[in-house]
Amino acid sequence: MKKRDSHPRSGVFPEAWDRGPDPETLVPGQAAKLAELREIAPPRAADYERASRGLAGAADPAELLERHSMILGRERGQVTLALGEVGKLPIEERKRTGRALNLIKRWLAEISEARRSQLEAAADSRSGPDVTLPGRRPWVGRPHVLAQIQSELLDLFHGLGYSVYESRESELDEYNFGKLNFAPDHPARDAHDTYFLSPGVVMRTHTSPGWVRAMEERRPPLRLVFPGRVYRAEQVDASHMDQFHQIDGLNVGPDVSMADLKGTLNTFARSIYGERVRTRLIPIYFPFVEPGCQMDVSCVICDGRGAVTENGSERRCSVCRGSGWLEVLGAGMVHPNVLRAVGYDPEQVTGFAFGMGLERIAMLRHGVPEIRLFLENDVRFLGQF
Ligand code: PHE
């Protein structure tokens, strides 16, 4: 065809674009379009083919945009410029060229758009999960350190024949104090020390009111442990919280003695603080026991020496403050008035009871200097146990 030979490829686009893929897969029907262009404006068909391959072969969005502007840019795009020239053409060429350029403009825009979606889809699939990354260890929870100690204690007492009795946290004044033989004017009953919910109702200040509830419900003999949270209107500092956890124990029967108490407490101490621990009972007053005592264990840090060796020199043990002993619980024989208050006959049954704080055990065992950490729920702290 003579006409085509007299219009060699204009070469307005880089020759390298010819190596781009056939855009047929992006926008079908290329052969028909080329045929149509060759029919109406053969030289434009060559430009179209090169431009279409250039768009289809753009390696990434930036290259595509660059090529798109070069071809279709509103100001400097080759197609735009060519359209601007149409008016200068001889009248009979004007119509055909104008039509060809408009077709080219539309078809190339379609290819450009199709390539853009294709590149975006590829980028999306690349930003999906990288299957070559090592797996993430799933987060595994565990019981709170206090819950761990509580179950350890419940397990220990279970082995000694004790069942668990769970009692309410909001408690009648009468059960928290009155039936436990607190005098009406006992300072613990003051609102400075105890949270009152309403007159006659308090947040329990210890787990001991559970004894009263259990004894009112059941007949002796009974062996029970009472775990739970307790509340006191404390000034909060490193060793005081206004809520903490206790476990009380209660053993009531026909001839429960102080010797039984001592044996039970020693078993507890050895299980929790180790076989080598020494214990001592010191008389102390609690309204609900008579006699009452506190149990101390030999200091777990200095082994009862009251001093520790550090860099070759002796220094006072800071945990027991040099005494060699740590106070770990309160205990005693259940006061006859408490037995009477629940309808038991102190001539027929006797009992012992003890009560301990879980935070204290956890702090000693794990060397935790700050009681507030237990309730802050910071997994960096809790995850250590
Ligand atoms: N209930 C006491 C307290 O909270 C502890 C205790 C329990 C003392 C049993 C003696 C007997 O301090």
Side-chain angles (χ1 to χ4, degrees):
M1 281 168 82
K2 190 157 185 293
K3 214 165 195 177
R4 194 197 246 177
D5 290 341
S6 64
H7 291 277
R9 294 194 169 191
S10 66
V12 288
F13 302 123
E15 212 181 301
W17 289 7
D18 288 340
R19 292 193 289 277
D22 184 350
E24 180 66 22
T25 50
L26 287 172
V27 182
Q30 292 305 313
K33 289 170 185 170
L34 273 172
E36 187 173 349
L37 289 175
R38 279 182 194 125
E39 187 63 36
I40 52 177
R44 307 292 174 181
D47 286 339
Y48 169 77
E49 187 169 19
R50 181 173 285 181
S52 69
R53 287 180 181 269
L55 291 170
D60 52 54
E63 189 169 67
L64 178 63
L65 183 64
E66 187 189 302
R67 294 182 181 184
H68 179 100
S69 317
M70 187 169 170
I71 302 162
L72 298 163
R74 272 177 226 273
E75 311 244 333
R76 313 254 95 230
Q78 292 299 333
V79 176
T80 315
L81 295 175
L83 276 165
E85 299 290 302
V86 168
K88 297 177 190 159
L89 293 172
I91 189 87
E92 52 314 344
E93 248 184 81
R94 203 182 290 173
K95 234 178 134 190
R96 287 196 304 157
T97 306
R99 187 164 155 254
L101 286 171
N102 277 312
L103 288 174
I104 286 171
K105 185 178 169 181
R106 194 172 83 224
W107 294 339
L108 288 178
E110 283 169 15
I111 293 168
S112 175
E113 176 56 26
R115 179 60 180 154
R116 196 177 61 81
S117 327
Q118 193 179 46
L119 286 170
E120 271 170 16
D124 281 353
S125 71
R126 267 199 304 281
S127 65
D130 179 349
V131 294
T132 66
L133 283 174
R136 264 183 230 159
R137 191 180 288 271
W139 192 82
V140 180
R142 69 188 79 185
H144 190 283
V145 58
L146 294 175
Q148 291 177 32
I149 289 182
Q150 176 174 299
S151 21
E152 186 178 328
L153 287 169
L154 295 184
D155 199 45
L156 166 71
F157 287 111
H158 179 76
L160 297 175
Y162 290 73
S163 326
V164 176
Y165 187 100
E166 285 193 277
S167 191
R168 62 193 68 192
E169 292 186 9
S170 66
E171 187 52 280
L172 296 175
D173 180 313
E174 188 58 14
Y175 284 77
N176 194 81
F177 298 121
K179 296 185 186 215
L180 285 171
N181 199 39
F182 280 76
D185 59 351
H186 191 283
R189 307 181 86 149
D190 195 285
H192 286 294
D193 288 329
T194 300
Y195 290 127
F196 279 80
L197 295 176
S198 61
V201 184
V202 301
M203 294 307 289
R204 66 178 175 192
T205 63
H206 51 174
T207 44
S208 310
W211 320 350
V212 181
R213 296 206 169 263
M215 288 192 287
E216 284 183 346
E217 283 166 19
R218 303 176 188 192
R219 306 313 304 161
L222 39 91
R223 275 186 207 182
L224 295 169
V225 276
F226 305 85
R229 189 175 285 196
V230 303
Y231 302 82
R232 291 183 194 175
E234 293 275 1
Q235 199 65 253
V236 173
D237 64 30
S239 49
H240 295 86
M241 274 289 277
D242 62 354
Q243 27 185 306
F244 55 99
H245 298 79
Q246 291 188 328
I247 291 185
D248 267 30
L250 176 72
N251 182 348
V252 180
D255 14 61
V256 175
S257 73
M258 190 90 188
D260 298 320
L261 171 61
K262 217 174 155 175
T264 303
L265 294 183
N266 281 338
T267 304
F268 153 78
R270 292 197 185 106
S271 156
I272 295 300
Y273 294 103
E275 279 301 316
R276 288 161 37 85
V277 85
R278 280 159 288 127
T279 60
R280 70 178 183 184
L281 294 180
I282 295 176
I284 189 171
Y285 174 76
F286 295 101
F288 34 89
V289 284
E290 179 58 35
C293 58
Q294 94 183 24
M295 183 171 77
D296 293 354
V297 296
S298 51
C299 179
V300 289
I301 303 301
C302 64
D303 204 18
R305 288 198 306 122
V308 287
T309 322
E310 200 181 67
N311 305 327
S313 66
E314 292 273 288
R315 151 174 96 62
R316 192 180 74 131
C317 175
S318 60
V319 173
C320 63
R321 297 203 181 80
S323 72
W325 293 98
L326 297 169
E327 181 190 332
V328 294
L329 53 75
M333 300 305 293
V334 178
H335 198 290
N337 288 348
V338 175
L339 296 174
R340 271 186 219 105
V342 299
Y344 287 7
D345 179 356
E347 300 300 324
Q348 301 298 312
V349 290
T350 52
F352 69 69
F354 54 86
M356 63 189 84
L358 300 189
E359 279 81 354
R360 184 164 174 98
I361 295 174
M363 289 168 88
L364 284 174
R365 175 176 294 178
H366 298 296
V368 177
E370 165 63 80
I371 195 171
R372 284 172 284 202
L373 290 168
F374 292 113
L375 283 184
E376 278 170 1
N377 280 340
D378 185 334
V379 288
R380 291 170 302 179
F381 170 72
L382 296 175
Q384 301 175 86
F385 310 106

